[in-house]
Amino acid sequence: MPAAKPIRYIRPKQSFSDWLWQLIERRETLWFFIWKDLKVQYQKPVFGLLWSVFQPLVYFGIILSVMQFSGRVSTISEMPFSLYLISGLAVWNFTTSSILGAVNSIQSNAGIISKSFFPRFYLILSPVLKCTFDFLIMLLIVLGFAVYFQQPFIISNLGFVLISVFIAMTTALGWSAIAASLVVANRHIRHAIPVLLYAMIFALPVFYSMREIGNPILQTVYEFNPIAGAMDMLRSGFGSEISVQLMLSWLFQSVIWLSLGIILFRRTERTLADNV
Amino acid sequence: MKVISAERLSKAYFLKTEGDQEFHALKDISFDINEGETVGIIGHNGAGKSTLLKLLSGITLPTSGEAKVVGSFSSLLEVGTGFHPDLSGRDNIFLNASILSISRKEVLAEMQNIIAFSGVEKFIDQPLRTYSSGMKLRLAFSIIAHLKTDIITLDEVLAVGDSMFQVKCMERIFDFKQQGRTILFVSHNLSAVKKLCERTIVLRLGEIVFDGPTDEAIAFYLNSNSLTESFRESDFISNLTVSSTGKTGSITLELSNIPSDTAIDLGINISTQDGMPLYHFSNRFIDKSLVPENGALQLELTFDHQLKAGNYNVAIYIGQDEQPFLWQENAATLTVAPFAPYGFHNPDAIQASIITDFDINQL
């Protein structure tokens, strides 16, 4: 008795459960997409590793030098400034490269989008997951900084660090899906995205702490940006304090962003093959 | 058993440039395909063939209507979809197969066969960018050749590669057919369709205009050609007919609204559908003068040609007093019926043009 044959319906709209099911069913294709990107990058492992941490380390060097030369004193009291900076940059770099990766992914895969079928959300998922891999390597560097500065690593706060990674991934995925949808709708937006992402660094606790500055506007911006949350929760692993109430709020915000991203992307993907 | 049943499938595109005008690539397409059937889909460029396959594969969603597909399905709209130049041939087999939704397990089981069949064993662990285009094509085809899916759709996959490659492709497709797989075959190569398919669907401007035995379908398609649907209405040309019987072509047209009754110049160009010019006819070559009466003129051009089977574009030029006043590209399509004395081992690609006016003697 042969196995039951799969039945597929082709309809103008796909139900959310079918969409989710397809995402799970074709997961092998997703692994291959990620594997392809990783394999291309890590063909020469030394270079692969270098590129995954290159950008945040260069920014780290620049910002640190500028602070030194201009004689600015950091307002960070809870941990060495270098550790504060590198942990912020790790999250920021993950977010920006995920979003840029997703926008690029739509464009560079235009050929296979119009010639083959696979769940389109993989175009967003695979760059974000690939960036997560680089992010984890970057976290090892952050850990290295903590060891160098003899900063106590608080094991009991490891849970917060994991939630930080979760919030960063969820938000990055949501924003990537939104950015990619906007670019498909109007490809000129593509030019605005890198600018916005680089500007975002000033609204985030990367080289100054919003909490310590105490400006109410900055404080609100901080509380309503889950990526800011991911940064400070990562730092909680090295002794910075975190309010549980804020954590829950960021967690909630990140899930909202992801849902928005999925809703928008599902509208976009229906005619994606016609528009790329 | 029905493996594909489509009910009133439609696909509309919105043309943003022309004030949100709707363009219907497919209109209310309904058909059923049974298990093991080999069905040809023919029609002019823009008739909706590719759109139909894209809908069935899920690449794009229909605007309305529904289709049900039973069984594993793979759609080959291109050979080597998703190949990455920096990865090895072996890695690319996995990548391409996964895009065609063939599982890693299946690929592993067939790996040796795929590599052996491709004939690029020696280079299989080299990056793909070091491959020649022929090697890439063979590798891609080898993956396709080991497909295990119940339903296979092919869109002009044969239109790439040299004639040897095309023959190999056709043989493999015949193997698929023998194995009882269901095949949907989109092609402009009418002789291949004739050989492969018992049933053929003719699409025209997004609608099914014929669905039945292949011989009748091809006859219908060829007949519908001489009434040129691609002809764009013009103030000057009417009743344009283009036909070819055997090696003799004929074009007739009526001209009207010509500004004055001085002699005109007529030029007719025949080119391939890729735009390569093949023949040019002009009344000046044979010193014939064409003089309109009351601004009107009826013309007939007959010529012997050596064209292989296929569709050709006809362009019309009209000038007067050394001034051009009409240049109509794609005025009509000339269709030359298949001419395949060798049967299927005679893919059209090996004929540039055909000469029948020669002699062979046994000495």
Side-chain angles (χ1 to χ4, degrees):
Chain A
M1 180 80 189
K5 300 218 156 142
I7 297 180
R8 197 162 48 90
Y9 287 95
I10 291 146
R11 291 179 177 133
K13 277 181 191 162
Q14 193 183 28
S15 73
F16 184 71
S17 58
D18 283 352
W19 182 84
L20 210 57
W21 172 241
Q22 216 158 39
L23 222 53
I24 298 164
E25 202 184 18
R26 281 290 296 270
R27 62 190 173 278
E28 222 176 57
T29 306
L30 174 65
W31 305 143
F32 273 114
F33 278 170
I34 301 168
W35 168 82
K36 173 189 77 177
D37 285 345
L38 288 176
K39 188 138 188 177
V40 170
Q41 187 179 340
Y42 286 91
Q43 257 172 353
K44 293 205 168 63
V46 178
F47 283 103
L49 281 173
L50 193 65
W51 285 123
S52 66
V53 296
F54 183 73
Q55 201 179 350
L57 286 183
V58 167
Y59 275 97
F60 174 78
I62 293 172
I63 295 172
L64 205 60
S65 314
V66 170
M67 298 283 276
Q68 293 275 317
F69 295 145
S70 62
R72 301 278 155 149
V73 185
S74 84
T75 56
I76 315 295
S77 57
E78 54 215 292
M79 62 178 68
F81 179 68
S82 298
L83 180 59
Y84 187 89
L85 181 59
I86 196 75
S87 47
L89 282 172
V91 176
W92 180 73
N93 183 64
F94 163 70
T95 314
T96 53
S97 47
S98 293
I99 296 169
L100 293 177
V103 169
N104 267 335
S105 157
I106 302 269
Q107 227 115 60
S108 61
N109 287 308
I112 61 172
I113 293 169
S114 59
K115 293 290 182 191
S116 62
F117 173 73
F118 54 87
R120 306 309 192 189
F121 197 59
Y122 289 175
L123 293 166
I124 307 295
L125 257 177
S126 70
V128 173
L129 289 178
K130 190 251 160 200
C131 290
T132 306
F133 185 86
D134 292 340
F135 182 41
L136 294 180
I137 291 170
M138 197 55 215
L139 287 186
L140 290 179
I141 298 219
V142 174
L143 196 63
F145 270 70
V147 170
Y148 177 82
F149 289 107
Q150 301 179 332
Q151 194 72 16
F153 184 74
I154 303 161
I155 295 292
S156 60
N157 281 0
L158 189 66
F160 287 143
V161 175
L162 290 179
I163 295 173
S164 151
V165 173
F166 176 83
I167 291 179
M169 282 179 71
T170 313
T171 312
L173 199 55
W175 286 1
S176 298
I178 293 170
S181 303
L182 291 177
V183 170
V184 172
N186 183 343
R187 51 190 61 207
H188 295 287
I189 294 175
R190 184 186 166 76
H191 304 290
I193 285 173
V195 181
L196 289 176
L197 289 178
Y198 285 92
M200 194 176 70
I201 199 170
F202 298 101
L204 285 169
V206 176
F207 45 86
Y208 46 73
S209 161
M210 269 90 169
R211 283 187 289 180
E212 291 181 21
I213 287 178
N215 177 312
I217 296 173
L218 273 181
Q219 180 66 24
T220 314
V221 169
Y222 167 77
E223 283 173 16
F224 281 93
N225 189 340
I227 291 299
M231 288 175 176
D232 273 358
M233 287 181 57
L234 177 60
R235 287 166 183 146
S236 72
F238 313 112
S240 140
E241 278 176 32
I242 199 81
S243 109
V244 173
Q245 198 192 341
L246 261 180
M247 178 188 85
L248 291 177
S249 158
W250 282 323
L251 210 54
F252 179 69
Q253 288 170 32
S254 69
V255 172
I256 294 285
W257 280 116
L258 178 60
S259 314
L260 271 177
I262 289 176
I263 291 169
L264 201 57
F265 190 77
R266 265 169 53 79
R267 289 182 66 94
T268 305
E269 70 173 4
R270 251 185 267 155
T271 53
L272 186 62
D274 312 327
N275 290 331
V276 292
Chain B
M1 193 186 78
K2 280 188 222 166
V3 289
I4 300 178
S5 45
E7 220 168 294
R8 299 178 65 87
L9 274 185
S10 293
K11 175 75 184 176
Y13 294 101
F14 293 93
L15 304 176
K16 281 182 189 157
T17 45
E18 290 171 37
D20 283 347
Q21 212 184 332
E22 261 191 347
F23 166 71
H24 287 271
L26 280 181
K27 277 177 246 167
D28 286 340
I29 296 282
S30 302
F31 60 90
D32 290 318
I33 286 169
N34 294 315
E35 194 172 11
E37 257 191 310
T38 309
V39 179
I41 298 173
I42 57 178
H44 288 296
N45 291 337
K49 306 183 297 287
S50 297
T51 306
L52 180 58
L53 289 200
K54 281 184 178 178
L55 288 184
L56 292 178
S57 354
I59 292 172
T60 184
L61 297 179
T63 318
S64 63
E66 186 183 291
K68 182 181 171 190
V69 178
V70 184
S72 55
F73 182 97
S74 52
S75 152
L76 305 172
L77 303 186
E78 184 184 61
V79 282
T81 309
F83 270 4
H84 194 291
D86 287 336
L87 294 177
S88 69
R90 192 188 297 276
D91 290 345
N92 270 301
I93 294 179
F94 283 116
L95 197 61
N96 179 241
S98 125
I99 288 169
L100 293 172
S101 77
I102 310 170
S103 74
R104 210 177 88 90
K105 230 167 71 186
E106 285 173 74
V107 179
L108 279 174
E110 289 283 342
M111 198 56 162
Q112 285 317 311
N113 295 335
I114 293 176
I115 296 174
F117 190 78
S118 70
V120 295
E121 293 102 322
K122 272 196 209 158
F123 311 97
I124 199 68
D125 290 311
Q126 300 297 317
L128 203 74
R129 65 183 129 84
T130 63
Y131 284 36
S132 70
S133 53
M135 285 160 72
K136 276 183 218 162
L137 202 58
R138 286 208 299 275
L139 184 67
F141 178 66
S142 185
I143 300 165
I144 296 168
H146 292 85
L147 272 180
K148 292 269 182 283
T149 46
D150 306 324
I151 308 164
I152 299 171
T153 64
L154 302 144
D155 186 4
E156 288 293 350
V157 184
L158 304 174
V160 292
D162 56 18
S163 56
M164 285 302 291
F165 177 79
Q166 296 195 5
V167 168
K168 212 170 152 189
C169 281
M170 276 309 278
E171 281 170 352
R172 203 63 191 190
I173 295 170
F174 270 96
D175 289 346
F176 287 159
K177 184 183 158 90
Q178 228 111 71
Q179 291 156 5
R181 308 295 185 87
T182 310
I183 304 174
L184 281 186
F185 184 67
V186 166
S187 185
H188 286 292
N189 183 340
L190 296 180
S191 57
V193 172
K194 205 168 181 169
K195 279 282 168 187
L196 189 68
C197 313
E198 299 83 33
R199 174 182 158 196
T200 295
I201 292 172
V202 185
L203 287 177
R204 187 201 291 162
L205 299 173
E207 285 173 287
I208 294 183
V209 288
F210 190 91
D211 180 358
T214 298
D215 285 340
E216 292 173 35
I218 290 178
F220 181 90
Y221 171 67
L222 292 176
N223 284 335
S224 67
N225 264 337
S226 52
L227 298 171
T228 59
E229 79 208 26
S230 58
F231 175 57
R232 286 155 192 83
E233 277 303 317
S234 148
D235 290 343
F236 300 105
I237 305 174
S238 52
N239 292 332
L240 177 69
T241 65
V242 174
S243 62
S244 168
T245 11
K247 303 277 109 189
T248 306
S250 135
I251 297 173
T252 63
L253 65 153
E254 285 176 38
L255 297 176
S256 48
N257 301 327
I258 302 173
S260 68
D261 283 349
T262 53
I264 61 153
D265 287 325
L266 173 76
I268 290 180
N269 230 26
I270 293 179
S271 55
T272 64
Q273 295 205 308
D274 317 328
M276 185 170 49
L278 297 174
Y279 294 141
H280 185 74
F281 306 101
S282 166
N283 57 309
R284 289 200 170 189
F285 294 168
I286 50 173
D287 283 329
K288 273 246 168 92
S289 73
L290 305 170
V291 186
E293 247 175 75
N294 299 324
L297 192 62
Q298 278 188 37
L299 295 167
E300 183 190 29
L301 167 74
T302 51
F303 55 97
D304 286 340
H305 65 74
Q306 299 173 337
L307 298 170
K308 63 170 181 168
N311 291 326
Y312 299 87
N313 288 339
V314 177
I316 297 174
Y317 162 86
I318 295 163
Q320 199 172 31
D321 306 322
E322 304 298 325
Q323 293 290 321
F325 81 76
L326 181 78
W327 175 236
Q328 177 108 41
E329 295 271 9
N330 300 326
T333 305
L334 172 71
T335 300
V336 179
F339 173 80
Y342 301 117
F344 128 71
H345 275 289
N346 178 31
D348 280 344
I350 65 171
Q351 315 159 358
S353 63
I354 299 164
I355 293 181
T356 47
D357 186 13
F358 64 97
D359 210 2
I360 299 177
N361 295 307
Q362 221 172 340
L363 299 174

